Amino acid sequence: MKIFTTVRIKPLPALFLMLLLAFSCSNHQQEITLTAGDLKITLDDKGYVTGFFDVATSKNYIAKDTLAPLLSLRLNGRYLFPVKVEFDSKNNRLTLHYDKNITAVIKVETKQTHLAFELLSVTDAGKFDLAVWGPYPLTLNKYIGETVGIAGNDEFTAGIQSLNPKTLGGYPWNENDCMPQIDIFDQDDPSDLNEKGKRYVLYRVEAAKPAGFGSTLQAYCRNRNKPRIIKNLNYDKYVAPPFNDGGITGSKIALFGCPPEQTLTTIGAIEVAEGLPHPMLDGQWAKTAKGASAAYLIMDFGEKDIDKALAVTKKAGLRYLYHPGPFETWGHFVLNKKQFPGGIGSMRRCVEKAKRQGIMLGVHTLSNFITTNDAYVTPVPDRRLAGVGSSVLPQDVDAQQTEIFIDDPEFFRQYKNSNLKTAMLGEELILYGGVSPQPPWKLTDCRRGAWGTKAVAHKKGDTVSMLADHGYKVFLTNAELGMEVAENIADLFNETGLRQISFDGLEGNRSTGMGNYGEILFTTSWFNRLDKNIKMHYIADASRTSHYFWHIYTRMNWGEPWYAGFRESQTEYRLKNQEYFRRNLMPGMLGWFKMTGSTSIEDVEWMLARSAAFDAGYGFYTSYKWLDENGNTDTILQLLGEWEKARMSNAFPDTLKKLMEDVKNEFHLEPVKDNEWKLYRIYSYKYNYEKRVRQPGEPFFEEFDFSNPAGKQPLQFILTAKDGTVSNVSMEIDDYREIRIPVKLKAGETLKYTGGNRAAVYGKTWHLKRTIPVDGSKLETDNGIHTLTFECNFSGGEKPVAGLELRLVGETWTISGK
């Protein structure tokens, strides 16, 4: 659940370019050197970073003709940059001086792997808008992990880490603290061209960002001691309320450098040294555990049928069973009474039964989405439900009025993202139809006592607020309530032993008015509330992630199956995500795939080949109904298990993975013996034969070219009546071997030939209906290029079409697990 905004960002803020001109002729009278591990940083006498060195090679990766203040401050929208720096080496304190007698004191700690910088104090700190670390301009650009905060080349990785939640990875490009997404033209890779012949890489810019000279690293902290009006959640005016987190003092970052192969290990060491979240999985740090990318089965279950669900999971060879929606309400997360009649106890018994069989259970949440039937809404609404903004009553209101006068309409007439059009007045929720077009301002067509609340009288001067909501017809939370909701989820895990979660809809926490910070507060509150045992064993993913959240979640997993089949639903986005995961040191995940009664073996193996190629797990969404309907269920479940076992045992060599990344390439896997498989490359050629009007004398047949890459073998094919009835099928190979097939396929039926002298007719759900004779000798093909002439008759259907897929076996490899 994400909305993408493409923006263009200048390599460095314009004010930094002005500073470049102002200071380009300055003479450096002193240099401060700070070294930790493989990184050496130098500062000039003004407090600007002049060196970002690889200690081993003495190479400086600071970009030339740029300026990099260690720390800048923003006051009333204007940036202040340091003019002088002093270093107390005895106490490891940097004092930065700014104009107007402003100073900032920074504590410097030299650790084994990194330098830690903490802002201890600022003159009149409460009056500043922001404290900004960097941006630090670097020449490194072979890979840029925008979320994790790294940039590097073949010799060196430079990185930044925010060391507490309020220090946001990124730069205040947006006042709502939502990090933008940008398209960067990749001149070195001509593949994946768009309609203008250019290839773009989607970057979710945060702690690291591509720049013309290479890259930048940056972080910042906002002072939130007073309300602000921002653009947020598609509202032009949204109140970001005050939040007491100590402001800009206490903001803390780490800077590090290391060889590329040590990057992930170094970040893990920083987590431990700085007390950051460092969750474990299967006895390893979750970011390096093989099980972090485990595939899982998504299916409804309850206490009565948990045994059946576990049996399906085991047949699929998977370790995780995930419930897509076990809750009657979101907010307090009341479990569905039909599936879990004993509430928490029912879920706990399911978890314990699964654990005894080596299977972990998980549940899906919508983060801070609050359903209208939850106790946070009804019968008395919680005052911490997120509000867009508020006004006051200019006069008393009785319990029956359907028009309610307000002083200021600016928040209430923002309709484009209002899905519930609900106002909160005291302990009453009110649905309103609109706002009067001119003063006196009033809410019109009001429905009093909405969502099970009570309509009562209100006094002049009472506050009325427009509530923030979401298209799922739910309310959202302010920061305090969001953290409480996150703790509710953690309590559920602590009490039941659940081990897997997805923070879907995490962006809903932007309702706090704090953008990414709201998301971080939510997930951090969840993590901090977890029992130690759960922290050692959980898997958490989300539809999005952010810099600090990187330390908490196991993986990101997004790709929705609702829009098309296995091969079409968000395929391009799923593949782009793999690039994103790799450069941000995340386990690979492909998202969700939906198996219905009509899902084919070929489609499933197409997905599984991509899973092996990117070493990426997936969510396999199905139901008892679809499993019962599909005639290939047993085969599909067996394939899931074999492919996953091979992947998790590292059976696929890198050379094969590269070949398998191409979605046009197809494969089939067969077990040979324990931990050994044969992998077959399948050459697939797909065509459509349509009924269309022909010119006089124009033949009805069509010719298709295909190639047999291997030795002599039968031409396998799959013929499907997509619309209308197909009959009188005729195929001719190389203009001299004609095969007539006496078959009549109704819409949705498939004729499948895999060799021999018979072909099978399947219904839409792959149940065998009958077999028919085929002269297999005429379908034998030699190595090389061939022509297939195809013709059939149609009857019925709006736009009759037959789908024809030719399949030939190519290279074969024997692979073994470790």
Side-chain angles (χ1 to χ4, degrees):
M1 288 181 14
K2 297 181 69 148
I3 299 173
F4 292 100
T5 303
T6 300
V7 298
R8 300 292 176 190
I9 299 175
K10 296 179 181 178
L12 280 176
L15 286 171
F16 284 98
L17 299 180
M18 294 170 61
L19 277 169
L20 175 62
L21 296 175
F23 291 96
S24 60
C25 297
S26 63
N27 294 317
H28 297 172
Q29 298 178 354
Q30 68 178 45
E31 187 175 80
I32 297 170
T33 300
L34 304 169
T35 304
D38 295 295
L39 173 66
K40 181 177 78 173
I41 288 178
T42 57
L43 304 174
D44 68 11
D45 61 324
K46 292 180 172 59
Y48 288 78
V49 179
T50 56
F52 214 102
F53 289 90
D54 177 355
V55 170
T57 64
S58 298
K59 186 171 183 179
N60 186 5
Y61 288 101
I62 282 287
K64 295 180 180 179
D65 300 325
T66 60
L67 286 173
L70 178 65
L71 181 81
S72 59
L73 304 170
R74 199 180 79 178
L75 178 63
N76 299 324
R78 176 176 173 266
Y79 282 92
L80 303 179
F81 302 96
V83 295
K84 179 183 176 182
V85 64
E86 297 171 329
F87 183 45
D88 178 356
S89 58
K90 181 178 179 180
N91 295 303
N92 291 321
R93 299 290 190 270
L94 286 167
T95 300
L96 295 174
H97 296 264
Y98 302 80
D99 289 337
K100 301 180 181 179
N101 296 317
I102 296 167
T103 60
V105 178
I106 298 171
K107 178 183 178 181
V108 182
E109 293 181 277
T110 301
K111 303 291 182 75
Q112 186 174 354
T113 52
H114 64 285
L115 291 165
F117 298 88
E118 181 179 3
L119 182 57
L120 295 182
S121 65
V122 178
T123 306
D124 295 328
K127 71 181 181 181
F128 289 94
D129 307 328
L130 300 161
V132 180
W133 301 96
Y136 307 121
L138 305 174
T139 58
L140 298 163
N141 67 352
K142 182 166 186 179
Y143 55 89
I144 299 169
E146 67 270 42
T147 298
V148 70
I150 58 172
N153 59 18
D154 291 335
E155 298 178 342
F156 190 68
T157 297
I160 187 171
Q161 293 288 288
S162 296
L163 297 182
N164 52 37
K166 71 177 181 179
T167 305
L168 301 181
Y171 185 85
W173 293 292
N174 296 319
E175 289 303 302
N176 61 12
D177 297 321
C178 296
M179 297 300 109
Q181 299 183 119
I182 60 173
D183 286 331
I184 299 293
F185 176 42
D186 186 351
Q187 301 185 49
D188 297 325
D189 189 346
S191 64
D192 192 22
L193 301 182
N194 68 1
E195 68 279 2
K196 295 182 180 180
K198 294 182 178 180
R199 181 181 185 272
Y200 289 93
V201 177
L202 176 65
Y203 281 92
R204 304 161 173 88
V205 295
E206 274 193 275
K209 183 179 77 65
F213 46 74
S215 58
T216 61
L217 303 177
Q218 54 272 319
Y220 73 101
C221 184
R222 186 180 295 278
N223 193 347
R224 304 179 189 275
N225 59 356
K226 55 188 175 183
R228 298 178 301 124
I229 295 180
I230 60 174
K231 290 185 177 181
N232 190 36
L233 297 177
N234 288 332
Y235 295 101
D236 291 330
K237 293 184 176 181
Y238 192 102
V239 175
F243 184 74
N244 183 16
D245 61 2
I248 60 175
T249 57
S251 179
K252 189 176 182 182
I253 65 165
L255 294 176
F256 69 93
C258 62
E261 66 274 10
Q262 296 178 17
T263 305
L264 191 57
T265 303
T266 299
I267 295 174
I270 293 172
E271 286 185 353
V272 174
E274 298 294 340
L276 298 178
H278 190 74
M280 306 292 285
L281 181 66
D282 299 332
Q284 289 182 261
W285 180 35
K287 286 296 187 295
T288 59
K290 184 67 176 179
S293 68
Y296 56 103
L297 184 69
I298 307 170
M299 190 169 65
D300 273 349
F301 62 85
E303 190 170 15
K304 291 182 180 179
D305 61 1
I306 183 63
D307 291 317
K308 184 177 179 180
L310 293 175
V312 174
T313 309
K314 291 172 72 174
K315 186 175 287 187
L318 303 179
R319 291 180 57 206
Y320 290 86
L321 171 62
Y322 187 76
H323 200 303
F327 304 112
E328 290 183 355
T329 77
W330 300 334
H332 285 88
F333 301 97
V334 177
L335 289 163
N336 184 302
K337 292 181 180 61
K338 290 184 179 180
Q339 292 180 321
F340 305 97
I344 295 293
S346 287
M347 180 63 84
R348 183 169 54 247
R349 286 188 289 273
C350 290
V351 168
E352 291 170 350
K353 180 174 285 189
K355 187 177 179 181
R356 288 193 293 269
Q357 300 183 42
I359 295 173
M360 304 296 110
L361 299 189
V363 294
H364 194 73
T365 70
L366 269 297
S367 299
N368 75 323
F369 289 16
I370 308 296
T371 50
T372 57
N373 62 336
D374 190 80
Y376 285 126
V377 176
T378 184
V380 178
D382 196 293
R383 300 297 299 173
R384 299 168 297 174
L385 292 172
V388 177
S390 62
S391 183
V392 296
L393 301 181
Q395 61 186 51
D396 292 348
V397 173
D398 64 32
Q400 289 76 42
Q401 281 180 234
T402 58
E403 291 189 339
I404 297 177
F405 289 89
I406 56 176
D407 266 355
D408 190 340
E410 65 174 343
F411 297 112
F412 297 85
R413 56 189 178 190
Q414 300 180 96
Y415 304 133
K416 62 184 177 182
N417 198 39
S418 180
N419 304 280
L420 294 175
K421 293 181 77 173
T422 299
M424 178 186 286
L425 183 52
E427 294 184 350
E428 181 185 357
L429 297 182
I430 300 168
L431 287 169
Y432 68 96
V435 178
S436 58
Q438 66 276 324
W441 305 112
K442 57 187 176 182
L443 305 180
T444 61
D445 192 23
C446 294
R447 289 173 50 197
R448 305 294 299 277
W451 312 118
T453 62
K454 185 178 180 180
V456 296
H458 304 277
K459 295 293 186 180
K460 175 182 177 180
D462 285 352
T463 298
V464 55
S465 301
M466 178 183 179
L467 293 184
D469 58 43
H470 184 272
Y472 281 17
K473 301 292 185 180
V474 292
F475 295 114
L476 301 168
T477 64
N478 72 4
E480 181 186 354
L481 182 57
M483 290 188 285
E484 184 176 302
V485 168
E487 290 177 347
N488 291 343
I489 301 173
D491 288 343
L492 174 69
F493 272 61
N494 293 337
E495 294 170 14
T496 62
L498 286 164
R499 296 293 177 83
Q500 185 181 353
I501 188 172
S502 178
F503 291 105
D504 196 7
L506 189 58
E507 66 274 18
N509 285 280
R510 295 174 181 179
S511 61
T512 59
M514 298 190 290
N516 282 25
Y517 189 24
E519 300 173 15
I520 294 166
L521 287 172
F522 186 89
T523 51
T524 302
S525 297
W526 174 79
F527 179 82
N528 290 340
R529 184 82 162 198
L530 290 178
D531 290 345
K532 183 178 180 180
N533 184 50
I534 302 294
K535 289 179 180 178
M536 299 294 287
H537 297 97
Y538 75 78
I539 282 181
D541 63 43
S543 57
R544 54 170 284 106
T545 187
S546 56
H547 178 62
Y548 192 86
F549 184 37
W550 187 95
H551 300 291
I552 295 174
Y553 82 115
T554 316
R555 63 202 187 190
M556 177 181 157
N557 186 35
W558 195 60
E560 297 183 356
W562 321 119
Y563 314 112
F566 265 57
R567 304 170 189 248
E568 296 86 20
S569 188
Q570 296 190 334
T571 300
E572 182 180 357
Y573 183 72
R574 294 177 196 266
L575 297 181
K576 283 187 179 294
N577 268 344
Q578 306 315 308
E579 299 176 16
Y580 169 70
F581 298 154
R582 285 174 174 174
R583 66 179 183 260
N584 283 285
L585 310 180
M586 304 178 189
M589 292 298 290
L590 292 176
W592 288 21
F593 292 87
K594 182 177 67 173
M595 174 192 168
T596 68
S598 60
T599 299
S600 70
I601 291 172
E602 289 75 20
D603 282 350
V604 171
E605 283 212 281
W606 176 89
M607 180 271 290
L608 291 170
R610 261 28 80 187
S611 171
F614 295 103
D615 194 11
Y618 53 86
F620 198 76
Y621 182 89
T622 191
S623 69
Y624 296 131
K625 176 178 179 292
W626 290 332
L627 291 171
D628 290 341
E629 286 178 351
N630 197 307
N632 288 327
T633 289
D634 287 344
T635 301
I636 288 173
L637 295 179
Q638 184 263 338
L639 285 168
L640 294 183
E642 292 297 339
W643 279 88
E644 182 74 351
K645 182 179 178 182
R647 181 177 74 87
M648 298 302 276
S649 64
N650 297 312
F652 297 96
D654 290 342
T655 52
L656 280 180
K657 287 182 180 179
K658 195 65 180 176
L659 184 66
M660 296 165 76
E661 286 183 9
D662 190 334
V663 295
K664 296 187 293 293
N665 295 335
E666 304 204 19
F667 300 84
H668 171 62
L669 187 74
E670 289 183 358
V672 176
K673 57 184 179 181
D674 189 42
N675 236 30
E676 186 176 301
W677 298 265
K678 280 197 177 296
L679 181 69
Y680 302 89
R681 182 173 180 181
I682 306 298
Y683 286 80
S684 171
Y685 305 89
K686 298 179 179 67
Y687 312 99
N688 281 330
Y689 180 82
E690 300 177 0
K691 182 179 181 180
R692 58 186 176 88
V693 177
R694 312 277 174 161
Q695 297 180 20
E698 181 183 3
F700 284 90
F701 64 80
E702 291 191 22
E703 288 187 348
F704 307 121
D705 292 330
F706 68 94
S707 176
N708 178 356
K712 189 172 184 178
Q713 62 176 304
L715 174 63
Q716 302 179 48
F717 65 85
I718 302 172
L719 177 65
T720 302
K722 294 184 176 181
D723 187 18
T725 297
V726 171
S727 60
N728 296 328
V729 175
S730 173
M731 294 190 291
E732 189 174 50
I733 297 177
D734 296 335
D735 297 322
Y736 76 96
R737 281 185 291 158
E738 184 179 20
I739 306 99
R740 292 191 175 274
I741 304 176
V743 67
K744 187 174 185 179
L745 301 176
K746 296 178 182 178
E749 291 185 335
T750 295
L751 176 67
K752 189 171 184 179
Y753 175 74
T754 57
N757 291 316
R758 299 198 73 83
V761 176
Y762 295 94
K764 186 177 181 181
T765 57
W766 296 102
H767 286 279
L768 180 65
K769 290 195 166 186
R770 60 191 182 278
T771 63
I772 60 171
V774 172
D775 187 349
S777 65
K778 293 183 178 180
L779 287 165
E780 291 291 324
T781 58
D782 293 318
N783 176 271
I785 297 173
H786 302 272
T787 298
L788 177 77
T789 302
F790 181 88
E791 185 177 351
C792 71
N793 292 340
F794 290 109
S795 61
E798 294 184 7
K799 294 183 178 180
V801 58
L804 177 63
E805 179 181 1
L806 308 180
R807 294 174 67 85
L808 291 137
V809 178
E811 302 93 320
T812 303
W813 302 270
T814 298
I815 59 175
S816 301
K818 298 176 182 177

